[in-house]
Structure formats: structure tokens, C-alpha cells
């Protein structure tokens, strides 16, 4: 009996160590390049740690975490979805750290020319033919920022029936890359990663809410020592900060 208890305890300890060596990060799609590079560098320094990355729109990730997805760290593209999980008691308010900022830009295919003036006097709808892509305007952060800018510039009504709303900023980028949309409203960092589009203009910061990326340990993650360590690396280590800046984010 005693031998059986010892064996059972050893199995439990083994499972505990194995579980602790995995860190699950749920991050906004626009963070794909930067967070992937940070994770791979961290794994090289700490070979016993496996960082599992899940990228999607912040809205989708937040809802997954709400329903029990095993996330240790949530890295959102806006404060609203972070606040949502705080209210759902999946994240403690004290864990939330605003980390990065970004810009909202207009992109067009490389071969196209398009004028752009961020003014309510400029007729944006008549400046191009076809569709403009962005994220879903009621949920996906980039789409929410886009709607705010279009509304404040008084351009939204003129684009009725010509806005394609996608499930993430990377999907919106892909639509413009393929020529299915003649323009797109995405983050500057995403536009910089593509060789098939160019930036036609920047939407002034005063036309939308500040584009801030908060990061936080989930309730699950706060109990995972490896997640706590990786969170510290992601948010405070000089190497990670350089990677964010390389991909166009501002700290």
C-alpha cells in the first residue's frame, strides 16, 4: 500500500512538472510576428519551457478564455476586451499592464495610387472604387478603431455597402493583398509586414481611441510560475522591447 502511495505521488509530481513547463499565450493577431519571435528566443534560453501561442482577434480570444480556454497570458489589442475579462473575473485588475501602442493606417495594393486627406472635407468614398476592408466594427479592435475614425471624419455614411468586415486585422490585410478589397484600415505594424501593400495615409490619433495593447496574467497563469516568468520577459526584458520596436510597435 505504501509503495502504491509513493508511486502515485511520483506520478502526480511528474504531471505537475510537465504542466508547469508549458505556458499558453493568447495574443491579438497583430502581435503574431513579434510575440512569436519573443517566444522562440525565450525557449532557446529556457529549453525546458514550451510556449504555446494562440493568435486571433482579441474579441475571439477573450470569449474563449471566458468559456474556459487554458490561457496563462492574455495580450489584447484594446483595453475593452481586457476589461471584459476583468469583469468576468478571469483576470485580476492588478495584473493588467498597458504595454504597447500602434497606429491606424489606410493601405492599398502596391500598384494602385490613391489620394488621402484626413479631413471631413475630403470625399474619401469617391477617392477610390471598390471595397474597403477592416475588422468587424462591433467587436474586433481594429474595426472598432476604424469605425470611430470613419464616424469622426464623417466618412462612414458615404461608404455604406462598401465596407468588408473581417474576423481579424490579418484577414483584412490579406483581402487587400489579394486585391479583393481596394483599400484597408489596419494597424501600421501589420502594413509594415506586407510586401504587397503600401500605406496611403495615417488616421490621426484624435479620430479614434488610443490604440493600446494591455497584457495580463489570467487567474490560471498567476498560479503558473513559468507563466509569471515569461510574462516578466515579455513585458520588461530589453530583448523583448527591441523586438516590439523592430516590428513597429511603440512602448
Amino acid at each position: 500500500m505504501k509503495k502504491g502511495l509513493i508511486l502515485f505521488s511520483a506520478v502526480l509530481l511528474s504531471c505537475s512538472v510537465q504542466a508547469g513547463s508549458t505556458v499558453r499565450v493568447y495574443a491579438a493577431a497583430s502581435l503574431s510576428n513579434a510575440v512569436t519571435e519573443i517566444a522562440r528566443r525565450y525557449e532557446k534560453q529556457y529549453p525546458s519551457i514550451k510556449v504555446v501561442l494562440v493568435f486571433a482577434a482579441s474579441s475571439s480570444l477573450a470569449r474563449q478564455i471566458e468559456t474556459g480556454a487554458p490561457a496563462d497570458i492574455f495580450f489584447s489589442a484594446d483595453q475593452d476586451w481586457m476589461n471584459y475579462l476583468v469583469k468576468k473575473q478571469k483576470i485580476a485588475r492588478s495584473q493588467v499592464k498597458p504595454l504597447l501602442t500602434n497606429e491606424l493606417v489606410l493601405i492599398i495594393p502596391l500598384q494602385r495610387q490613391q489620394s488621402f486627406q484626413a479631413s471631413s472635407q475630403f470625399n474619401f468614398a469617391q477617392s477610390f472604387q471598390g471595397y474597403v476592408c477592416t475588422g468587424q466594427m462591433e467587436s474586433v479592435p481594429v474595426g472598432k478603431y476604424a469605425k470611430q475614425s470613419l464616424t469622426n471624419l464623417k466618412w462612414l455614411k458615404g461608404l455604406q455597402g462598401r465596407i468588408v468586415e473581417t474576423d481579424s486585422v490579418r484577414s483584412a490585410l490579406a483581402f487587400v493583398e489579394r486585391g479583393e478589397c481596394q483599400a484597408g484600415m489596419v494597424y501600421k505594424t501589420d502594413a509594415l509586414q506586407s510586401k504587397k501593400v503600401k500605406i496611403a495615409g495615417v488616421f490621426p490619433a484624435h479620430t479614434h481611441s488610443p490604440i493600446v495593447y494591455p497584457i495580463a496574467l489570467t487567474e490560471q497563469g498567476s498560479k503558473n510560475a513559468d507563466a509569471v516568468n515569461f510574462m516578466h520577459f515579455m513585458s520588461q526584458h530589453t530583448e523583448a522591447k527591441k523586438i516590439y520596436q523592430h516590428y513597429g510597435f511603440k512602448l
Side-chain angles (χ1 to χ4, degrees):
M1 181 69 176
K2 184 176 181 181
K3 183 178 180 181
L5 286 174
I6 293 174
L7 179 60
F8 181 69
S9 298
V11 170
L12 284 179
L13 179 60
S14 175
C15 291
S16 175
V17 170
Q18 187 175 4
S21 65
T22 300
V23 178
R24 292 177 172 82
V25 180
Y26 280 45
S30 52
L31 291 161
S32 300
N33 300 83
V35 170
T36 297
E37 185 169 337
I38 289 169
R40 299 308 166 238
R41 290 196 185 186
Y42 189 81
E43 288 176 330
K44 285 184 179 179
Q45 294 181 36
Y46 304 95
S48 64
I49 307 300
K50 174 65 177 176
V51 180
V52 177
L53 303 174
V54 179
F55 296 109
S58 301
S59 51
S60 174
L61 297 174
R63 291 184 179 118
Q64 290 178 49
I65 294 171
E66 179 191 5
T67 56
D72 293 304
I73 296 170
F74 179 48
F75 205 165
S76 176
D78 76 352
Q79 190 64 49
D80 289 346
W81 286 108
M82 185 64 76
N83 291 340
Y84 178 83
L85 289 180
V86 169
K87 290 178 181 178
K88 296 295 182 179
Q89 299 183 330
K90 296 294 183 178
I91 289 174
R93 176 70 65 185
S94 60
Q95 294 285 357
V96 180
K97 175 183 174 64
L99 187 60
L100 308 173
T101 63
N102 212 334
E103 293 180 273
L104 183 68
V105 301
L106 180 75
I107 57 170
I108 57 177
L110 277 178
Q111 67 276 14
R112 291 192 63 249
Q113 298 294 326
Q114 183 175 336
S115 59
F116 178 85
Q117 298 174 29
S119 165
S120 57
Q121 282 72 49
F122 178 67
N123 195 325
F124 178 62
Q126 290 186 7
S127 70
F128 71 105
Q129 299 293 320
Y131 297 95
V132 58
C133 282
T134 191
Q136 293 170 358
M137 291 185 162
E138 300 304 320
S139 57
V140 176
V142 71
K144 292 160 63 178
Y145 296 127
K147 183 178 181 180
Q148 291 170 6
S149 283
L150 292 176
T151 300
N152 288 326
L153 291 168
K154 304 185 188 310
W155 293 351
L156 186 62
K157 187 176 180 179
L159 290 169
Q160 188 171 3
R162 295 174 59 194
I163 299 176
V164 176
E165 301 180 45
T166 67
D167 60 0
S168 75
V169 66
R170 288 299 172 95
S171 295
L173 175 64
F175 270 66
V176 181
E177 288 179 327
R178 295 194 299 263
E180 295 176 38
C181 285
Q182 288 64 50
M185 296 176 70
V186 302
Y187 300 124
K188 182 180 180 180
T189 53
D190 293 289
L192 293 175
Q193 298 312 306
S194 176
K195 296 180 179 179
K196 298 180 180 180
V197 304
K198 59 185 176 183
I199 296 175
V202 179
F203 290 87
H206 67 81
T207 64
H208 56 77
S209 300
I211 302 176
V212 178
Y213 288 67
I215 188 171
L217 288 163
T218 64
E219 285 297 310
Q220 170 184 304
S222 64
K223 301 178 180 69
N224 181 346
D226 293 318
V228 174
N229 291 336
F230 185 57
M231 168 75 172
H232 183 271
F233 184 86
M234 290 181 75
S235 60
Q236 298 187 41
H237 199 281
T238 301
E239 188 174 356
K241 291 179 179 180
K242 288 180 179 178
I243 292 172
Y244 293 129
Q245 291 173 325
H246 171 75
Y247 285 103
F249 292 98
K250 296 181 180 179
L251 297 166

